[in-house]
Amino acid sequence: MARKSPDPRNVLRGHRKGVKCVCFYRGEGAGAGSEDDVLLFSGDQEGRLKAWDLRRRRASLDRRLYPQDSGFVSLCAVEGEGKLLTQGREGCVKYWDAERLCSSSEGERPLAEFSTGCYNFCRFSASSSADGGDPIAALPSSDASVVEIWDVGLSKRISVLQAPTKEKAVGMCTAVCLKAPAGSGDGTLVWAGYESGDLACFDLRQSAAPLALASFSSNEPLMSIAVDKMGLAGVAASVGSELVQFEASPKSGEGGEPGRLGIRALETFEMKQPGVSEVSIRSDGRIFVAAGWDGRVRVFDYKKRAPLAVLKVGGQRLEFTLKRHRLAAID
């Protein structure tokens, strides 16, 4: 007999308009195993940001960061640096000191901000820079098929990734994931998903052409990409009913090109209801989760490539903490 879906630990209410994104944030003074200073940031379609104290289950911050007719697309915390990145619908990315934002007056200004002129729904992706400086961010440009890489602290564009050349155009970029592979001197990789269902992998050290290109999800637009800490394997989700777990490896044989990768599907999960808004791999690489358009969050074993559970929480956006096994989903 199937087990009943567990009830959520906390339900946080307070936004007047729909919540578009969430992320966990651990305060700079928090210990490695402490939950005392863990906050949950949430941004809504009115441009308001809330910071939730998870012990008291109430908002400790309520502030408008974007115009009312703009609203949030995404946000993420820069772990260990006390910084927060936010993305608005009007195409503007802002870089904040999270501690000062939570404790100062309404007049707090971002450390930096920039705009690519992109007004679509693609969420940005951020990663620590290879030289230990300010984070870098990837998101589409005013030409939605082109991905731009920005040094966030300097508000400076540092690379431009042109859409892959194919017989049939790949369309606009609909999902992006920036990843610096763990424990290696390899360059930062950018995974980009397109309207055509194509998945491309770029190396920022040689960004003229993708290292790899594959077509997934029956030519349905890719909505989200999650890549594990090694940078060469992950999960891609689309507006269709397929959820694909994939890996990239060096091409071999006579047709293999030096430095090029081949992408292959390890497992394809068919869902009863189409559409996934976001996928996320837990930091320990043991499980991944997918938030479906049907209001279900599906949990999978990442290593065994098998479904584990379905949570009926109405989630469409989700996020993991890095240390604790907590999941925040938007209803």
Side-chain angles (χ1 to χ4, degrees):
M1 182 177 177
R3 295 170 60 184
K4 182 183 177 182
S5 173
D7 293 327
R9 181 174 175 179
N10 296 317
V11 177
L12 305 173
R13 297 182 175 90
H15 284 279
R16 289 180 295 180
K17 296 293 184 178
V19 180
K20 305 302 291 184
C21 50
V22 291
C23 79
F24 287 103
Y25 170 77
R26 186 180 299 277
E28 289 183 298
S34 171
E35 290 294 316
D36 289 348
D37 292 330
V38 173
L39 299 175
L40 178 71
F41 284 111
S42 58
D44 67 24
Q45 65 188 35
E46 243 186 355
R48 300 199 72 88
L49 176 76
K50 285 183 180 286
W52 299 91
D53 184 319
L54 296 181
R55 285 187 304 159
R56 297 180 177 86
R57 304 179 190 178
R58 64 180 62 181
S60 58
L61 170 73
D62 183 357
R63 186 166 304 171
R64 185 181 302 283
L65 299 188
Y66 289 96
Q68 187 169 354
D69 59 354
S70 170
F72 277 84
V73 173
S74 187
L75 52 80
C76 77
V78 183
E79 287 295 325
E81 297 184 21
K83 303 296 192 298
L84 181 72
L85 281 165
T86 62
Q87 178 189 11
R89 270 202 323 243
E90 90 283 39
C92 185
V93 174
K94 299 182 180 183
Y95 184 39
W96 304 87
D97 183 310
E99 301 292 328
R100 289 172 56 187
L101 183 64
C102 290
S103 60
S104 65
S105 65
E106 287 281 345
E108 179 65 24
R109 302 288 299 171
L111 300 172
E113 61 181 283
F114 63 88
S115 178
T116 66
C118 174
Y119 302 100
N120 72 3
F121 53 82
C122 181
R123 298 182 293 275
F124 77 117
S125 179
S127 174
S128 299
S129 63
D131 60 6
D134 288 318
I136 57 176
L139 67 165
S141 73
S142 55
D143 177 349
S145 67
V146 175
V147 177
E148 295 182 349
I149 313 300
W150 287 73
D151 182 309
V152 174
L154 297 176
S155 299
K156 179 182 178 182
R157 184 173 53 235
I158 57 177
S159 186
V160 176
L161 309 178
Q162 299 293 334
T165 302
K166 292 185 65 179
E167 193 172 305
K168 184 178 179 181
V170 296
M172 66 181 179
C173 177
T174 51
V176 65
C177 181
L178 191 62
K179 181 67 67 170
S184 75
D186 294 341
T188 300
L189 300 177
V190 182
W191 291 86
Y194 296 92
E195 194 176 2
S196 60
D198 286 290
L199 175 67
C201 177
F202 296 85
D203 186 331
L204 288 186
R205 297 170 301 180
Q206 43 182 330
S207 57
L211 294 178
L213 181 65
S215 185
F216 288 146
S217 304
S218 303
N219 299 319
E220 299 280 4
L222 294 179
M223 293 298 293
S224 182
I225 305 165
V227 178
D228 64 27
K229 61 183 179 181
M230 301 310 295
L232 291 175
V235 184
S238 75
V239 301
S241 59
E242 292 182 354
L243 188 64
V244 180
Q245 194 169 343
F246 65 87
E247 72 170 4
S249 57
K251 286 186 175 181
S252 59
E254 294 182 4
E257 300 177 58
R260 297 296 169 183
L261 301 174
I263 303 175
R264 68 186 181 100
L266 298 174
E267 191 72 45
T268 300
F269 302 96
E270 273 295 332
M271 298 188 301
K272 292 181 179 179
Q273 300 294 329
V276 170
S277 61
E278 191 165 0
V279 288
S280 182
I281 301 172
R282 200 167 68 187
S283 57
D284 61 7
R286 296 180 62 183
I287 67 171
F288 75 90
V289 289
W293 291 358
D294 62 354
R296 304 290 192 269
V297 173
R298 291 168 174 80
V299 185
F300 299 83
D301 188 308
Y302 183 69
K303 295 183 181 297
K304 295 181 180 178
R305 304 195 287 274
L308 293 176
V310 178
L311 307 179
K312 299 177 181 179
V313 295
Q316 289 193 0
R317 297 282 186 271
L318 50 93
E319 192 72 38
F320 274 109
T321 56
L322 295 179
K323 299 295 182 182
R324 295 290 182 178
H325 299 173
R326 281 186 173 178
L327 170 70
I330 297 168
D331 189 349

